[in-house]
Amino acid sequence: MIRFRSRLLFALISLIIAVLVCSAILLGQLFKSYYIKTFDKRLENEVNLMADLVEEKGGIVSINKKDIEKISESLDVRMTLVNRNGQIIVDSAKENNLIEGRHSRIITNAVQTYPNDTSRLEVAGGYNLHYYGTPIMKNNQIDGYVFISTKIGELEKVNRKIWWLLSISLGIAMIMIIFLGTKITNRYTKPIEAATNVMMELAKGNYRARAYEDHNNEASKLSSSINVLARNFQEILKTQEMQQERLSTLIENMGSGLVLIDNRGYISLINKSYKEIFNISTNEYLSRLYYDVIKYKVVNELIEEIFMTEQRVKKQILLPLEIERRYFDVFGSPIIGTNNEWKGVLLVFHDITELKKLEQMRKVFVANVSHELKTPITSIKGFSETLLDGAMKDEVTLEAFLSIILKESDRLQTLIQELLDLSKIEQHGFQLNVEQLDILELLNEVVKMLDRKAEEKNITLTINPGLTNVFIKGDYYRLKQVFINLVSNAIAYTPLGGKVEISVREEDSKVYVKVKDTGIGIDKDEIPRIFERFYRVDNSRSRNSGGTGLGLAIVKHIVEAHKGSISVQSKLNQGSSFTICLYKELS
């Protein structure tokens, strides 16, 4: 903006100076021309007056040198009288051979060239003389000529004075022009400069910038308009930010997972719920092709269907997520802009796992409970009828049948107790009996309880804590129930001569307990289902071991009630590893 002001000031001053210089030159020439004309007129009048005087006195012969010298001195000129042939008769100047020779040649040349009329002549060579002559008449005939000559040095002095005055006036005018021009350009360019700076700030996004409004200035309308524009931009920005904040809040806090894919197949947006559901980070997904990061084939097929058909798609899908499977109601919609411009695909994942569970719970629960109760009840009824039919008289048979009835009764009691425990844990008002406990002491007690069971299968059951005391806050009875279930399952699913190892690791505010076995392992596809009610990895082994399929479901609920987590790593025929993470302090 300073460069603009300088260019404007330079252009303005240059224009005015050019006009002044041209005006000064014109005035100088006019003054010079006027002075020369005035000077010529004077010489003309003086020479005519001298000619009339000579004519009145009777001609050239009647004029003597003293008269000429007297008149020449009074007029401050050189006066010369010549005859008709150009010969000098009388001259008022002192003799000078060089001057006289030149003077004589000029006058002779003038008389010969213009016999009836003479005009002023200028002599070069350092003798700047001005000549003016006129014929002298006697009896209507030319008697001779009178010439007046004078140096024009005064004319040059006057001309120099004129140019000096004009130069001084031009210099003063230039100083005043520069001063006034600077003031004027500052007055009119500063508002423009301020307005430009404000516009630059607006272009950068700073809509709080304002221009100074000087109502005494002609540029105030510009400043006012810019301020109105800035205020409008600020209001628009506030409205946009408010809408953007509302939209972001809505997207981030909606209960369903949301994925936005652009028209090239790159993921441009995922919300908080989606990240929490699938346990992923933003960097893993954003600006990457959907089929490179979404590992579920059914989801990719759904996206491809939307891309190909450009139609809305709604589908219920079942996805394995770490240790569990979850049902989703997926709604996919193409995003079509104005002029049918294809912008991408929007996917919304509604988690309907709980609804599905509630929907199937009645069927599954009734079917499983009926199935689980049927076997022991059938056995008890069958053996009781057999005993009543006479087998009770045989003591050996009676003892064997009563042992089976007792075993089935215990199994039935265990099933009912676990159902009651699971129901109690899942109740809304379920509370833990929190106390300070030593996790190593609890694990040692569990090992003592199950050591005999392990010895029966020749299984090595060890605890390798690597620590002396690890204190946490939790429900002693419920945590004991968790580890009894885990260790019992490890023993039940580990072949003869295998190993079951319990290890404890402490890390900051967390404690990790791992139960690792060398058992039959779990298939990768079955890991998400092992915490479902009544689900068994191996039904025949579970039944023979007296398992009900509720143990891991109870374990999961108790661990989650302690704000902890459980993870599983397993391979078929290579054993399984269950890791429980518990906090030392319950918040």
Side-chain angles (χ1 to χ4, degrees):
M1 195 63 195
I2 295 177
R3 293 181 59 190
F4 167 72
R5 189 193 310 171
S6 301
R7 290 198 302 268
L8 179 62
L9 180 61
F10 178 76
L12 179 63
I13 292 176
S14 299
L15 177 62
I16 295 175
I17 289 176
V19 172
L20 288 177
V21 169
C22 293
S23 301
I25 293 173
L26 180 61
L27 286 174
Q29 293 298 326
L30 289 175
F31 281 128
K32 182 178 180 181
S33 177
Y34 173 76
Y35 190 76
I36 290 174
K37 285 182 179 180
T38 304
F39 188 74
D40 287 344
K41 188 65 176 175
R42 171 201 159 194
L43 293 180
E44 182 182 358
N45 291 336
E46 288 176 353
V47 79
N48 288 333
L49 181 63
M50 188 62 193
D52 292 340
L53 179 62
V54 173
E55 289 177 359
E56 288 178 0
K57 286 189 175 187
I60 295 175
V61 295
S62 62
I63 300 298
N64 55 39
K65 188 174 182 179
K66 290 184 178 180
D67 294 334
I68 293 298
E69 288 177 350
K70 186 178 180 181
I71 295 172
S72 175
E73 185 178 356
S74 63
L75 295 177
D76 194 21
V77 295
R78 180 179 183 178
M79 194 169 292
T80 304
L81 294 178
V82 300
N83 60 17
R84 68 177 63 185
N85 296 323
Q87 295 176 347
I88 297 174
I89 304 299
V90 180
D91 192 277
S92 64
K94 295 179 180 180
E95 294 182 359
N96 186 316
N97 292 333
L98 181 61
I99 295 176
E100 290 303 321
R102 185 182 294 274
H103 184 70
S104 176
R105 285 195 302 272
I106 290 173
I107 291 175
T108 301
N109 185 53
V111 171
Q112 291 176 356
T113 304
Y114 304 101
N116 297 320
D117 187 17
T118 59
S119 59
R120 67 181 173 84
L121 300 172
E122 293 182 0
V123 180
Y127 299 94
N128 195 5
L129 299 175
H130 206 73
Y131 284 84
Y132 207 93
T134 189
I136 300 172
M137 305 301 294
K138 186 178 181 181
N139 298 326
N140 295 325
Q141 292 183 354
I142 295 176
D143 185 33
Y145 299 91
V146 58
F147 283 92
I148 292 176
S149 63
T150 182
K151 290 184 178 182
I152 59 174
E154 294 298 327
L155 181 62
E156 294 298 328
K157 289 181 180 179
V158 172
N159 192 41
R160 284 196 296 270
K161 288 182 179 180
I162 291 172
W163 281 108
W164 178 248
L165 290 173
L166 288 175
S167 298
I168 294 175
S169 301
L170 183 62
I172 295 173
M174 287 177 61
I175 294 173
M176 294 181 65
I177 288 169
I178 293 173
F179 176 74
L180 294 176
T182 304
K183 297 289 286 184
I184 291 171
T185 52
N186 286 341
R187 175 180 175 82
Y188 287 98
T189 58
K190 275 189 175 180
I192 298 175
E193 180 179 352
T196 303
N197 292 333
V198 172
M199 291 300 292
M200 292 175 66
E201 289 296 319
L202 293 178
K204 294 177 182 178
N206 180 17
Y207 298 129
R208 295 183 178 181
R210 296 291 184 272
Y212 175 70
E213 297 183 22
D214 185 2
H215 297 289
N216 297 323
N217 195 312
E218 290 78 0
S220 61
K221 290 184 178 180
L222 175 62
S223 300
S224 299
S225 301
I226 291 175
N227 289 341
V228 171
L229 180 64
R231 282 191 288 270
N232 290 339
F233 275 145
Q234 190 173 8
E235 290 299 323
I236 292 172
L237 179 63
K238 285 183 180 178
T239 304
Q240 184 180 4
E241 288 178 348
M242 188 180 299
Q243 292 177 348
Q244 183 68 29
E245 185 178 355
R246 290 174 180 172
L247 181 60
S248 299
T249 303
L250 176 63
I251 291 174
E252 287 298 317
N253 294 284
M254 62 186 296
S256 303
L258 183 142
V259 181
L260 185 62
I261 304 172
D262 65 18
N263 55 356
R264 299 176 300 162
Y266 287 89
I267 296 177
S268 58
L269 175 68
I270 56 175
N271 70 343
K272 180 180 177 182
S273 297
Y274 185 88
K275 291 184 284 187
E276 291 176 350
I277 292 171
F278 294 96
N279 193 24
I280 53 97
S281 64
T282 304
N283 296 332
E284 295 176 5
Y285 266 58
L286 289 186
S287 300
R288 299 186 63 180
L289 290 169
Y290 71 89
Y291 49 78
D292 288 339
V293 292
I294 298 177
K295 59 184 178 181
Y296 304 108
K297 183 179 179 181
V298 63
V299 177
N300 290 330
E301 290 175 351
L302 187 146
I303 296 172
E304 291 172 2
E305 181 181 350
I306 298 172
F307 269 107
M308 289 187 294
T309 62
E310 297 185 6
Q311 299 292 326
R312 295 180 179 179
V313 176
K314 185 177 181 180
K315 185 179 292 185
Q316 287 187 2
I317 59 176
L318 178 62
L319 300 178
L321 299 179
E322 297 182 354
I323 62 173
E324 61 180 346
R325 298 192 307 168
R326 302 176 75 172
Y327 289 89
F328 293 94
D329 196 353
V330 183
F331 177 79
S333 175
I335 304 173
I336 309 296
T338 56
N339 300 322
N340 292 324
E341 181 184 0
W342 176 264
K343 290 185 175 294
V345 172
L346 176 68
L347 288 182
V348 180
F349 291 77
H350 299 287
D351 190 349
I352 58 171
T353 304
E354 295 301 323
L355 294 176
K356 278 288 184 180
K357 286 181 178 179
L358 291 174
E359 180 182 341
Q360 296 180 359
M361 186 175 292
R362 291 186 299 272
K363 300 177 182 178
V364 174
F365 183 79
V366 171
N368 285 325
V369 169
S370 300
H371 183 73
E372 293 297 331
L373 293 176
K374 181 180 178 182
T375 301
I377 291 176
T378 302
S379 298
I380 293 172
K381 182 180 178 182
F383 285 112
S384 299
E385 289 177 347
T386 303
L387 290 175
L388 291 174
D389 288 338
M392 57 184 299
K393 295 179 181 179
D394 186 350
E395 293 184 2
V396 177
T397 303
L398 175 62
E399 185 177 355
F401 282 13
L402 289 177
S403 297
I404 295 173
I405 291 172
L406 179 61
K407 181 179 178 182
E408 295 297 335
S409 298
D410 291 339
R411 182 179 173 187
L412 186 61
Q413 184 181 12
T414 301
L415 174 62
I416 294 172
Q417 185 61 46
E418 289 185 350
L419 284 173
L420 292 174
D421 288 342
L422 185 61
S423 176
K424 184 177 180 181
I425 293 171
E426 289 180 339
Q427 286 180 3
H428 180 70
F430 173 71
Q431 290 184 348
L432 297 172
N433 184 18
V434 180
E435 60 180 320
Q436 187 86 359
L437 59 93
D438 185 353
I439 194 70
L440 297 179
E441 180 183 340
L442 186 149
L443 291 172
N444 284 319
E445 187 173 340
V446 170
V447 169
K448 290 178 181 179
M449 290 177 61
L450 300 174
D451 191 46
R452 183 176 178 182
K453 185 177 179 182
E455 289 178 356
E456 292 175 356
K457 297 181 66 176
N458 195 23
I459 293 174
T460 303
L461 176 60
T462 59
I463 179 168
N464 183 24
L467 301 168
T468 54
N469 297 102
V470 179
F471 292 98
I472 66 170
K473 285 188 177 180
D475 190 322
Y476 186 89
Y477 170 76
R478 294 298 180 183
L479 289 178
K480 184 177 180 181
Q481 186 178 6
V482 166
F483 294 114
I484 289 175
N485 275 323
L486 289 179
V487 176
S488 297
N489 284 346
I491 295 172
Y493 289 99
T494 299
L496 297 175
K499 289 183 179 181
V500 176
E501 182 180 345
I502 304 171
S503 60
V504 180
R505 178 168 57 91
E506 191 175 10
E507 183 179 303
D508 296 332
S509 61
K510 299 177 181 178
V511 174
Y512 294 89
V513 180
K514 180 187 290 187
V515 178
K516 184 178 180 181
D517 63 59
T518 58
I520 61 175
I522 307 171
D523 188 76
K524 182 179 179 181
D525 295 334
E526 291 185 323
I527 289 177
R529 299 195 61 190
I530 60 176
F531 293 96
E532 294 179 5
R533 297 180 181 88
F534 299 109
Y535 183 80
R536 295 186 179 89
V537 175
D538 187 340
N539 284 324
S540 60
R541 292 288 303 275
S542 298
R543 281 189 200 285
N544 293 334
S545 63
T548 62
L550 295 174
L552 289 180
I554 295 173
V555 167
K556 181 173 180 292
H557 281 85
I558 293 176
V559 171
E560 290 178 349
H562 283 80
K563 310 297 182 184
S565 61
I566 182 170
S567 59
V568 182
Q569 291 180 341
S570 181
K571 288 184 180 180
L572 280 176
N573 301 319
Q574 294 185 22
S576 303
S577 175
F578 289 78
T579 302
I580 293 177
C581 174
L582 297 171
Y583 287 92
K584 293 181 179 180
E585 297 288 338
L586 290 180
S587 57

